[in-house]
Amino acid sequence: MKDFLLTGNVRIFGEMESRPVYRAAERFYRDVKKTLEAGTAGVSRIYIDCSHCMEEEAWEIRVSESDIQIHTSSDLGLVYAFHYLSEKYLGIRPFWFWLDQKIGVRKTVSIPAGTYRSKRAAVSYRGWFINDETFLGRWNPGDDEAYAWEMAFEALLRCGGNMVIPGGLENFDKYCTLASDMGLKLTHHHVEPLGAEMFSSAYPDLQPSYRMYPELYEALWQRAIEKRKGQQAVWAVGFRGQGDCPYWESDGESAEKSEEEKGRFLSGVIKKQYDMIRKEIPEAVICTNLYGEMMELYREGVLSLPDDVIRVWGDNGYGKMVTRRRGNHNPRTEALPVNEREAEGRHGLYYHISFYDLQAASHTTMPPFEPEYYRDELLKSYKRGLSDYWIINCSNIRPHAPLLILLAKLWQDPACRTEDFYEEFAGQYYGENAAAAAGLYRRYAAAAIRFGNQEDETAGEQFYTHSVKILARQWMADAEKAAEHFQWAIPAKTLHEQICWLDERLAGKAYGYEKYLEDCEREAPELSDTLTLQVWLHYLGCLGVTHFCRAWRLREENHGLEAFYECGLAAEAFAEADQKLREAERGIWKNFYQYECFADYKFTAHILKRLMGRIRDEGEGPDYYRWQMWLYNQETGKGEIITNLDNHMTEAEFFLRLKKLHHKEEKAGLIVWNRV
């Protein structure tokens, strides 16, 4: 039998009243237009039929010389079938938009005759939590403000996902209908059970206490059920305090004191939500997040849950299935079923490849772990029964695209090979330069900084800025005392111990990242706004921290001028990191990073500039003339009484003059600091 010839003149026949089916057909037409020349003779016919008796989401494609027939029993099955044809034969990859895929145009495409069938995913409900979406929130690459979100949902569907939390707070309400129209099931964050409005948002003047205002809470829950009951969903039940904390922190003094009382209270609230859902939607799928205090209470046996509720276990934010560190407390209790009682029922996981904790997490960069790390952790979870529900915290999509592709492979088959993942990934997106790109991606995890002894204690970009901001503040407040908010990293009695510890962790790392950066720019220019940008952020973060630590050591040796200068270099490094984000905002990515506020390089530079003033206060105050007289001597060979002939320079002015002098001396090989 001859092949089927797919031309630019394609026609789809069949029932397309359903919004997900209609949108999928429109995307296929778009993909054909992107890849095949228009006006080619002959009509390519594709027939769709969603009436077949098949497993939900399954599809079958029958290809003959004359046409293509797609058979399925569900809207989502048809969506996946179209995406299969688009990727397999038109070359449109799942992240074509997010990774700037170069798409070539051909006259026609031959599709071999035969029957093609879908494979069942290992995980039943699988998708993304678009969380901490600070980049997506105000960035608009198209004519429609929802375009970026449509591209996110499309990428998820192309990865075989079927479920999404479409942002937090107001974004959930804004984009949940779009997600549903594209065929995705909705689920909810543990802070916003049932997708309900947060109590403190609805009633800002009232204490967020269920005990005090049960009727108000229940009205919010009922409103959410009524609003969304026409959409497919995995309903999340639970109860946390406002701002993602244990409920008793919001309840205040009225909250239960013992673990038994807390467990009994939470069990009652969850049962109430459960009954409300069952009343309106008897067939509803329901889950609850065993996250933080919920897991601890469940493990102690004081939290009871309805038998058919999916228990969702959470990682620590760093891809390890242990309890999350809270402040300086890091128990690292395994966050998986550990006995027969805990293993009963259905289970899932809440997993991070993007995280915001202001300690050492990755948000603008990829987490620094090998693909095998994720395969091993997720396969272990799957074998423990976590196969019903996987929700992946993916944040702003673009920085984490390779790992989202990897995790999509793993929710299809948790035991799949990952050893050649970067070669496969680069081959799909970087063509002739795939080998170089793959090698550079594989170096990413090896270059990372380890801040602890555990496998997952490896630094993301927030490690640099968070450390500096915390330690700089302590330096300005009390330079003798250790920073309390840095005890999670190194328990110490003095600030000196903490800064020296940080300095040792980063020793030589800036140089390593510098060499890595040079290789990225030389070997794979096409990675400039993706991987190379992330290497820049790590390099400049390392450089900034190194200069900061050097400033401290010089200050301790009573070399104030040199300390001032090193602190200025630290501020420059973080300011340059912010500038690198601006430079990567090319084309449709204009303003993508403008609301980068977690690492917040610009503000880190601001804090360091304040510290420069403190160092100057210590070194040449109260008259503020000695350093400037020294500078005049270096520049002209003559010192003058500053108060008679010139204004005092600001810290910024003085640093720039000092830097100019330093560079001149450096070129001449004459770097000599006269102690002032």
Side-chain angles (χ1 to χ4, degrees):
M1 189 179 293
K2 292 184 178 179
D3 293 350
F4 174 82
L5 197 66
L6 183 63
T7 72
N9 191 16
V10 66
R11 295 289 184 272
I12 300 170
F13 302 90
E15 180 60 57
M16 286 189 284
E17 290 298 315
S18 150
R19 294 295 297 168
V21 171
Y22 176 80
R23 282 182 168 272
E26 287 294 296
R27 286 197 297 277
F28 188 75
Y29 280 130
R30 181 204 64 198
D31 294 348
V32 168
K33 188 176 180 179
K34 282 180 175 289
T35 56
L36 300 179
E37 290 182 1
T40 306
V43 176
S44 299
R45 292 177 171 83
I46 299 176
Y47 296 91
I48 60 175
D49 184 354
C50 295
S51 65
H52 282 243
C53 185
M54 304 172 72
E55 286 188 350
E56 187 180 3
E57 301 181 2
W59 52 263
E60 181 180 88
I61 297 175
R62 299 175 186 174
V63 181
S64 68
E65 181 183 354
S66 59
D67 59 40
I68 291 177
Q69 297 180 26
I70 303 175
H71 301 293
T72 183
S73 63
S74 65
D75 291 349
L76 206 49
L78 188 80
V79 171
Y80 292 154
F82 273 127
H83 287 167
Y84 172 82
L85 291 171
S86 183
E87 182 173 6
K88 181 77 172 177
Y89 299 106
L90 299 179
I92 303 294
R93 305 299 181 189
F95 285 81
W96 69 269
F97 173 81
W98 297 96
L99 289 175
D100 305 307
Q101 182 191 348
K102 294 180 181 178
I103 300 171
V105 179
R106 293 166 286 175
K107 289 186 176 181
T108 59
V109 170
S110 293
I111 302 178
T115 301
Y116 305 84
R117 296 183 179 88
S118 60
K119 294 180 180 179
R120 186 175 183 180
V123 179
S124 301
Y125 302 105
R126 51 201 184 275
W128 297 345
F129 178 16
I130 304 175
N131 186 34
D132 295 323
E133 62 278 19
T134 55
F135 304 165
L136 300 185
R138 303 179 214 180
W139 167 69
N140 183 12
D143 296 330
D144 183 354
E145 69 171 4
Y147 183 69
W149 293 81
E150 183 180 349
M151 292 296 100
F153 301 151
E154 179 183 326
L156 172 56
L157 287 164
R158 289 181 180 273
C159 287
N162 60 9
M163 176 179 69
V164 70
I165 305 176
L169 303 173
E170 69 272 7
N171 281 334
F172 183 97
D173 269 344
K174 190 181 289 186
Y175 300 113
C176 63
T177 299
L178 173 62
S180 185
D181 283 351
M182 293 179 69
L184 290 164
K185 298 174 179 66
L186 301 174
T187 190
H188 315 110
H189 187 216
H190 57 262
V191 177
E192 300 161 313
L194 291 77
E197 184 179 7
M198 289 186 68
F199 187 90
S200 59
S201 184
Y203 304 103
D205 298 328
L206 300 180
Q207 183 175 340
S209 169
Y210 180 73
R211 183 177 293 94
M212 296 171 64
Y213 305 107
E215 71 287 347
L216 296 181
Y217 271 96
E218 290 167 19
L220 291 174
W221 301 338
Q222 186 63 39
R223 196 180 307 158
I225 296 170
E226 293 288 340
K227 193 174 183 179
R228 305 292 174 218
K229 67 180 181 180
Q231 298 169 328
Q232 293 192 66
V234 180
W235 295 86
V237 296
F239 192 67
R240 299 205 85 207
Q242 308 299 286
D244 204 4
C245 64
Y247 83 87
W248 51 84
E249 292 184 13
S250 293
D251 249 25
E253 290 299 317
S254 64
E256 290 76 11
K257 300 300 186 288
S258 72
E259 300 299 278
E260 291 78 9
E261 289 172 329
K262 292 172 182 175
R264 189 161 47 249
F265 173 82
L266 279 171
S267 300
V269 174
I270 289 171
K271 184 61 165 59
K272 178 65 178 180
Q273 295 173 352
Y274 176 90
D275 289 341
M276 290 173 69
I277 296 169
R278 283 277 176 257
K279 182 180 179 181
E280 300 290 337
I281 316 165
E283 73 283 3
V285 180
I286 303 174
C287 71
T288 192
N289 289 80
L290 301 178
Y291 194 70
E293 73 283 355
M294 285 278 289
M295 192 196 76
E296 293 171 9
L297 294 169
Y298 183 74
R299 179 147 284 163
E300 290 175 16
V302 298
L303 179 67
S304 61
L305 301 170
D307 292 341
D308 59 346
V309 169
I310 301 172
R311 282 78 163 152
V312 180
W313 303 77
D315 74 320
N316 65 345
Y318 297 85
K320 200 73 176 176
M321 294 304 292
V322 296
T323 50
R324 178 184 173 182
R325 177 175 57 236
R326 286 179 288 188
N328 296 324
H329 179 59
N330 191 18
R332 295 190 66 86
T333 306
E334 190 173 33
L336 291 169
V338 296
N339 56 46
E340 189 174 337
R341 177 185 64 82
E342 292 181 359
E344 293 177 353
R346 305 168 71 187
H347 297 269
L349 64 79
Y350 170 37
Y351 200 75
H352 294 78
I353 59 163
S354 179
F355 192 41
Y356 164 51
D357 74 343
L358 285 181
Q359 289 186 341
S362 302
H363 184 256
T364 310
T365 66
M366 297 185 296
F369 304 114
E370 297 282 2
E372 291 74 26
Y373 169 86
Y374 293 103
R375 191 267 319 277
D376 293 347
E377 203 65 19
L378 291 172
L379 180 59
K380 177 179 68 175
S381 302
Y382 183 80
K383 289 180 175 179
R384 294 278 193 95
L386 278 62
S387 61
D388 288 285
Y389 175 109
W390 285 14
I391 193 75
I392 311 300
N393 193 318
C394 68
S395 189
N396 298 288
I397 318 295
R398 180 167 164 85
H400 308 292
L403 295 182
L404 289 171
I405 295 169
L406 171 67
L407 266 63
K409 286 173 60 73
L410 292 170
W411 68 37
Q412 296 291 336
D413 177 13
C416 70
R417 280 181 54 86
T418 57
E419 287 77 7
D420 301 321
F421 169 72
Y422 281 126
E423 285 71 21
E424 296 170 8
F425 161 72
Q428 293 176 340
Y429 288 93
Y430 300 110
E432 295 180 355
N433 209 19
L440 292 166
Y441 267 103
R442 191 161 288 285
R443 287 171 60 181
Y444 182 78
I449 293 160
R450 299 192 60 79
F451 60 83
N453 299 321
Q454 301 292 338
E455 182 182 21
D456 54 296
E457 293 179 332
T458 308
E461 84 279 353
Q462 293 176 48
F463 182 70
Y464 314 115
T465 56
H466 176 72
S467 299
V468 165
K469 282 181 285 200
I470 290 295
L471 298 173
R473 178 190 174 276
Q474 188 62 41
W475 182 342
M476 290 185 282
D478 185 348
E480 300 301 318
K481 188 178 177 182
E484 177 61 25
H485 292 292
F486 204 65
Q487 298 286 3
W488 69 270
I490 170 67
K493 294 182 179 179
T494 66
L495 182 62
H496 181 76
E497 292 176 77
Q498 292 176 322
I499 294 179
C500 289
W501 173 89
L502 181 63
D503 197 18
E504 290 166 3
R505 288 297 177 280
L506 270 67
K509 286 294 185 177
Y511 176 77
Y513 270 119
E514 185 178 27
K515 303 305 292 182
Y516 183 14
L517 187 60
E518 290 172 358
D519 292 344
C520 286
E521 293 188 325
R522 183 181 65 256
E523 297 175 17
E526 60 269 54
L527 301 180
S528 62
D529 295 340
T530 51
L531 177 65
T532 303
L533 170 65
Q534 298 189 27
V535 178
W536 265 114
L537 296 179
H538 280 286
Y539 165 64
L540 292 167
C542 277
L543 189 64
V545 175
T546 299
H547 283 302
F548 169 77
C549 294
R550 195 176 295 163
W552 171 264
R553 291 185 182 275
L554 287 164
R555 179 258 189 191
E556 289 289 275
E557 297 168 3
N558 294 317
H559 303 322
L561 179 59
E562 293 98 317
F564 173 89
Y565 182 65
E566 290 292 334
C567 193
L569 293 177
E572 276 200 332
F574 288 111
E576 187 177 357
D578 182 70
Q579 182 59 34
K580 290 298 178 184
L581 293 174
R582 304 284 77 75
E583 293 171 6
E585 295 177 319
R586 285 178 260 261
I588 64 169
W589 304 104
K590 184 180 180 181
N591 298 327
F592 183 69
Y593 297 107
Q594 65 176 321
Y595 294 104
E596 193 292 300
C597 55
F598 291 163
D600 207 338
Y601 300 99
K602 185 166 55 176
F603 187 71
T604 306
H606 169 71
I607 293 293
L608 287 166
K609 290 172 184 176
R610 288 174 53 197
L611 179 58
M612 291 170 70
R614 176 60 182 268
I615 296 171
R616 190 178 182 190
D617 290 345
E618 292 180 345
E620 71 160 353
D623 297 319
Y624 301 95
Y625 67 87
R626 291 189 302 117
W627 289 4
Q628 199 161 330
M629 287 185 64
W630 173 87
L631 179 63
Y632 286 173
N633 268 321
Q634 301 301 307
E635 292 175 336
T636 66
K638 320 184 266 187
E640 304 287 350
I641 304 296
I642 185 171
T643 54
N644 291 346
L645 298 178
D646 206 347
N647 296 324
H648 290 80
M649 294 182 193
T650 65
E651 279 76 36
E653 293 168 337
F654 186 76
F655 173 74
L656 288 175
R657 290 272 287 273
L658 195 62
K659 185 179 179 184
K660 184 178 180 181
L661 174 67
H662 185 82
H663 285 181
K664 181 180 178 181
E665 290 178 335
E666 186 178 30
K667 288 181 181 179
L670 299 171
I671 304 174
V672 178
W673 289 94
N674 297 314
R675 306 301 184 190
V676 294

